[in-house]
Amino acid sequence: IKLKTDKEEEAIRSVEDFTLDITPLIEVFKKNAHKIEKIRVAKDERLKLSYKDEEINGDLATFIKEHTGIDTEEFEWFKEL
């Protein structure tokens, strides 16, 4: 995972100040898909994610499943928050 921001490190105050590039993580998932039964995720709505320099919009679990073929779901407890 790579942190991308236009701000100096000391100026980062919240998750809204940067984007996490999850390209390396998705590539690891793809490479090891045959070893992974399921992925469970939870993501704060303020967090910005990108994949191959494109912002990820919508449901993270759906995105991961579509790009890796691995069964992915959001944690049940997180949905209730």
Side-chain angles (χ1 to χ4, degrees), residues 11-70:
I12 296 173
R13 298 287 178 248
S14 77
V15 296
E16 296 168 329
D17 293 337
F18 58 84
T19 299
L20 286 180
D21 177 6
I22 64 168
T23 303
L25 180 62
I26 296 296
E27 297 307 314
V28 169
F29 286 162
K30 286 180 182 180
K31 182 178 177 183
N32 294 286
H34 64 285
K35 300 176 187 177
I36 303 169
E37 182 178 326
K38 182 182 283 190
I39 298 170
R40 291 183 180 89
V41 298
K43 178 188 161 290
D44 186 299
E45 62 188 28
R46 297 171 296 161
L47 183 63
K48 296 177 282 190
L49 301 175
S50 68
Y51 175 71
K52 295 187 177 181
D53 295 321
E54 296 291 326
E55 188 174 340
I56 297 172
N57 295 306
D59 181 59
L60 179 59
T62 301
F63 178 87
I64 293 172
K65 186 172 185 173
E66 288 174 354
H67 286 80
T68 65
I70 301 168

